[in-house]
Structures are given as structure tokens and as C-alpha cells.
């Protein structure tokens, strides 16, 4: 039975595909790869990755080996890079699924090479998909550190038999077009690549969503778009050119009147100075609707902004609907939490975080509806 559901999350796959095509056109002739780690930023990789493949994407980036194994099931022919490197796993686990780890240290390169190089086979004969090499150029997080890059440059024997498919680095400040870090990291990366005993045509990649908008010098051979595909703004302090992808709508479960001296929610953190009307929706921090939105967040009902009052609790959030006509805010009426009137970036800002965290925390209890353009409203 298709009963009404109190909370619906709509993911517009057509918008993701449009965003992909926009970015791919922008970076041409570079290739546009897609980051689908963390369940495609919380939106559901099982739906999102095939939609991206249909839009023309051939190269995908995940964070973990498990994500890579799951994605291989969905996309038998795609190139899949695993950003977190070998992660203490046996390199054969990658090879079996044709997953391409982004090797991030000399010890990882050694482990890979012990397994797959010097076994008498050339790369051509080998079914093993070539890894990426991930260089740290300033984010100091993951990636081959500076001293190890110097050794790779000084000792070409590292590349006997090892032919990386991609050289990559990651920008620390690419959402800030004014940051001097960007040009500094790009220069370091290009110097490293030029110094390695590898064919000059080995593809390079430094740009994620922000980097795509820093201009053509950052596009190199491949970009790794994530956030922008899912509608997040690639640059801060700049208009967002991406199509919005998610809509989160809750139905009002109950409406009540309160009066002077009443309070709402755990801790009684909001007290009313006069008569007010409250509407309760079934969304809480267990759904990734952050507790930090308590007394700070807003929602929309029929286009009108309504404030969150009191604490967001595990399963419930309360809105002050005093300003709305009773008919507009009755049981069953739709409340927009995310959508055209409030982007994930905007909600994140109110919660003291970023749109990435809003998306990757999107709840598992929502009914998820995927719009794919052909059968609008197709249910997951
Ligand atoms: C997550 C990630 C990306 C994608 O970043 P967005 O900002 O979401 O576009 C690209 N490269 C690496 C190494 C990443 O970790």
C-alpha cells in the first residue's frame, strides 16, 4: 500500500545529470570524473552513479575499498579510483575488482609494486588496473609527502614496471578564488609531475568542484567533481551556477496553541511571551537534521518562512506558525526543509556547518523519491 509518508526526500537525478553535463562541457577537453563517495554524498549511489554514467561519466571516485566494491557491481565498465589509498588492505582486493587505488605514500607504492610489478608481465598483459599516485601539495592530509616526492623524482627506478594511470593532488582552499594556496599548490603539483620519470601524457588531476571554477589551468587532464554535481555552490562568496538537486518535505503531524509562559522542547529553551501556534514535524537529529538548528533554523510553509523554536530532538522539530493563516499550517500541510527556498548550503550555514555535511547526513528514515526525467516520481 502506498500510504502517505510524513517525510519525503526528493532527489532530482535529471538535475544531477544536467550539472554533470554543464561541468563536463566547462572543462573540455579535460575529462570530468565524478566523486560518488559516501553514498554519493548521501543521495544514494545506487541511483546516482548509473544516472551519471548515462550522462556520459566514465570515471568515478570513491573514498573506501568497500565503496569501490559496491560501485563495481553497479558499473561494470567504469574506471573507479579509490581515494583513500590501500587502507591496509591487500592490493589484490583492488585488482580483483579492477579498482584503482590512489597510492598515497612510498610504502603503499612498494606494496603495490611487490604484488604487481616485476612478475614478468608487462602492464598490457596484466588485467590489473593501474593505480593513481596522489601527491600532497599543501593540504597535509593524505598524499605522498614532499620528501617522498623528492625521492620518486630522484630515483626513477620506482617506476620500473609501474605505470600510474593518473597523477593527482587535492586543493585545500579551492572554494576561495582569492586564496594564494591555489596557485601555489598547482605550481608544486606541476613541478612534481614534470620531474617524474613518466610519460608526459600521463593524465593529471588537481581540481574538485571548486577547482573547476578556478579556470582552465586547474583542469589539466581530469577533474573530480563532487559537491557541484549535487547542487552545492562550488565557490563561496559567489553565485551558485548549479541546479538544485534535493528537496526535503515534511508533513505537519500536530498543531497546538501555547500561551504566555509556556515553553517548547527539551530544556525549555524557548519561552513564549504571548499566545502562539506551533506545528510539529517528524524530523530530528537522528535524520541528520542537526540539533545545532535549535532556535536558529528556519523552514518554509507555502513559501512563508517559519522559525524552528526550541531544541531539535531525535525525531521531532517544532515550528512557530503563529504568523500563518490557520488553514496554511494545519495537520498534513507540507513543510519545506530543503528545496528552492533553502539550499543545503543555507541550512548548513544556519547550523554552523557546510552543505556537504547536510547532504551526507540526510536521514535513512525518509521516503526517497528519485526523479529521473522519464518516469517522474519513480519510487526507490
Ligand atoms: C571529495 C573529494 C573530491 C570531490 O570534492 P568536491 O569538493 O565535493 O567536488 C575530489 N577529490 C578528492 C581527493 C576528494 O577527497
Amino acid at each position: 500500500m502506498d500510504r502517505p509518508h510524513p517525510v519525503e526526500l526528493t532527489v532530482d537525478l535529471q538535475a544531477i545529470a544536467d550539472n554533470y553535463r554543464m561541468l563536463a562541457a566547462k572543462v573540455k577537453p579535460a575529462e570530468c570524473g565524478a566523486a560518488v563517495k559516501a553514498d554519493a554524498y548521501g543521495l544514494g549511489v545506487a541511483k546516482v552513479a548509473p544516472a551519471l554514467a548515462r550522462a556520459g561519466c566514465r570515471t568515478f571516485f570513491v573514498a573506501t575499498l568497500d565503496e569501490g566494491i559496491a560501485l563495481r557491481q553497479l558499473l561494470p565498465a567504469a574506471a573507479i579510483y579509490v581515494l583513500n589509498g590501500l587502507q591496509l588492505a591487500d592490493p589484490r582486493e583492488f585488482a580483483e575488482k579492477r579498482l584503482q587505488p590512489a597510492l598515497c605514500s612510498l610504502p603503499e607504492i612498494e606494496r603495490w609494486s611487490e604484488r604487481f610489478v616485476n612478475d614478468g608481465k608487462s602492464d598490457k598483459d596484466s588485467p590489473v588496473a593501474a593505480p593513481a599516485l596522489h601527491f600532497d601539495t599543501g593540504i597535509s592530509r593524505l598524499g605522498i609527502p614532499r620528501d617522498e616526492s623528492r625521492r620518486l623524482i630522484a630515483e626513477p627506478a620506482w617506476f620500473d614496471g609501474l605505470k600510474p594511470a593518473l597523477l593527482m593532488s587535492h586543493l585545500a582552499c579551492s572554494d576561495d578564488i582569492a586564496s594564494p594556496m591555489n596557485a601555489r599548490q598547482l605550481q608544486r603539483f606541476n613541478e612534481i609531475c614534470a620531474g617524474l620519470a613518466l610519460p608526459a601524457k600521463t593524465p593529471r588531476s588537481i581540481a574538485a568542484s571548486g577547482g573547476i571554477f578556478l579556470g582552465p589551468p586547474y583542469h589539466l587532464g581530469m577533474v573530480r567533481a563532487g559537491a557541484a554535481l549535487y547542487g552545492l555552490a562550488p565557490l563561496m562568496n559567489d553565485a551558485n551556477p548549479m541546479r538544485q538537486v534535493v528537496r526535503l518535505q515534511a508533513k505537519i503531524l500536530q498543531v497546538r496553541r501555547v500561551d504566555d509562559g509556556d515553553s517548547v522542547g527539551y530544556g525549555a529553551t524557548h519561552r513564549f511571551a504571548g499566545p502562539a501556534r506551533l506545528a510539529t514535524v517528524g524530523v530530528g537529529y537522528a535524520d541528520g537534521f542537526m540539533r545545532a538548528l535549535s532556535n536558529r533554523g528556519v523552514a518554509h510553509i507555502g513559501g512563508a518562512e517559519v522559525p524552528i523554536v526550541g531544541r531539535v530532538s531525535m525525531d521531532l522539530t517544532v515550528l512557530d506558525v503563529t504568523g500563518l493563516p490557520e488553514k496554511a499550517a494545519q495537520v498534513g500541510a507540507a513543510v519545506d526543509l530543503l528545496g528552492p527556498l533553502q539550499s543545503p548550503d543555507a541550512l548548513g550555514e544556519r547550523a554552523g556547518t557546510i552543505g556537504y555535511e547536510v547532504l551526507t547526513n540526510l536521514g535513512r528514515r525518509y521516503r526517497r523519491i528519485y526523479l529521473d526525467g522519464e518516469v517522474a516520481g519513480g519510487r526507490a
Side-chain angles (χ1 to χ4, degrees):
M1 256 295 287
D2 201 21
R3 66 188 155 79
H5 200 277
V7 195
E8 290 186 340
L9 176 70
T10 307
V11 178
D12 188 343
L13 297 174
Q14 199 62 48
I16 294 175
D18 282 352
N19 286 338
Y20 177 79
R21 285 186 285 259
M22 189 268 251
L23 297 174
K26 189 173 175 66
V27 303
K28 232 173 165 174
E31 182 182 348
C32 188
V36 294
K37 57 194 182 184
D39 199 26
Y41 290 48
L43 301 186
V45 71
K47 296 282 183 182
V48 169
L52 285 165
R54 287 195 296 276
C57 186
R58 296 286 165 263
T59 301
F60 293 80
F61 295 87
V62 294
T64 69
L65 175 56
D66 287 338
E67 290 176 349
I69 292 169
L71 184 58
R72 177 55 76 213
Q73 300 260 81
L74 293 165
L75 300 176
I80 301 175
Y81 287 99
V82 180
L83 291 167
N84 284 4
L86 292 183
Q87 303 160 75
L88 320 172
D90 187 323
R92 279 177 301 198
E93 286 205 62
F94 291 82
E96 277 162 17
K97 307 285 182 198
R98 281 173 294 115
L99 303 175
Q100 300 172 267
L103 304 177
C104 62
S105 68
L106 291 189
E108 284 203 356
I109 293 173
E110 267 170 349
R111 282 177 52 218
W112 185 268
S113 295
E114 278 164 11
R115 214 29 108 195
F116 300 120
V117 178
N118 308 325
D119 61 356
K121 285 193 220 159
S122 79
D123 261 62
K124 256 201 162 136
D125 307 326
S126 164
V128 174
L133 298 185
H134 180 182
F135 295 94
D136 173 36
T137 55
I139 196 169
S140 309
R141 186 180 69 162
L142 203 62
I144 299 166
R146 198 179 336 204
D147 55 326
E148 294 188 0
S149 300
R150 289 204 193 99
R151 280 192 61 193
L152 283 177
I153 290 168
E155 302 164 20
W158 284 97
F159 297 106
D160 289 349
L162 175 74
K163 294 281 173 286
L166 183 69
L167 305 175
M168 59 167 279
S169 188
H170 194 53
L171 295 167
C173 305
S174 70
D175 60 344
D176 179 4
I177 201 161
S179 171
M181 280 289 285
N182 295 322
R184 205 179 305 152
Q185 285 193 265
L186 177 62
Q187 188 187 348
R188 268 189 209 159
F189 181 53
N190 281 332
E191 282 168 9
I192 291 167
C193 293
L196 298 172
L198 287 172
K201 63 176 191 334
T202 309
R204 305 176 188 180
S205 175
I206 197 168
S209 293
I212 291 171
F213 290 83
L214 297 177
Y218 291 83
H219 298 165
L220 303 172
M222 167 91 74
V223 300
R224 313 182 301 267
L229 293 173
Y230 312 117
L232 301 183
L235 298 177
M236 57 179 188
N237 309 322
D238 212 339
N240 184 357
M242 310 314 299
R243 280 192 61 186
Q244 287 304 293
V245 168
V246 296
R247 181 161 193 180
L248 178 61
Q249 269 194 331
K251 304 265 168 55
I252 295 176
L253 302 180
Q254 191 178 20
V255 178
R256 75 185 53 256
R257 289 175 189 286
V258 292
D259 212 335
D260 186 13
D262 285 338
S263 64
V264 57
Y266 284 120
T269 59
H270 183 88
R271 229 166 250 291
F272 298 90
R277 245 174 338 111
L278 307 183
T280 301
V281 291
V283 173
Y285 61 75
D287 304 297
F289 199 73
M290 282 115 177
R291 192 167 174 274
L293 293 165
S294 301
N295 292 309
R296 293 178 59 179
V298 300
H300 294 85
I301 298 176
E305 186 176 299
V306 290
I308 292 171
V309 284
R311 286 206 183 129
V312 171
S313 50
M314 188 183 293
D315 319 298
L316 297 167
T317 295
V318 182
L319 306 161
D320 187 336
V321 297
T322 313
L324 297 188
E326 268 181 46
K327 269 208 299 222
Q330 59 193 358
V331 170
V335 177
D336 277 301
L337 302 169
L338 288 172
L341 296 171
Q342 179 159 252
S343 67
D345 288 318
L347 187 79
E349 195 169 331
R350 286 190 184 267
T353 181
I354 55 175
Y356 290 71
E357 196 174 354
V358 171
L359 292 187
T360 54
N361 279 302
L362 281 170
R364 307 283 144 199
R365 300 192 290 189
Y366 305 146
R367 169 184 280 168
R368 290 180 171 227
I369 299 169
Y370 288 90
L371 305 181
D372 63 11
E374 290 139 50
V375 277
R379 296 244 150 97

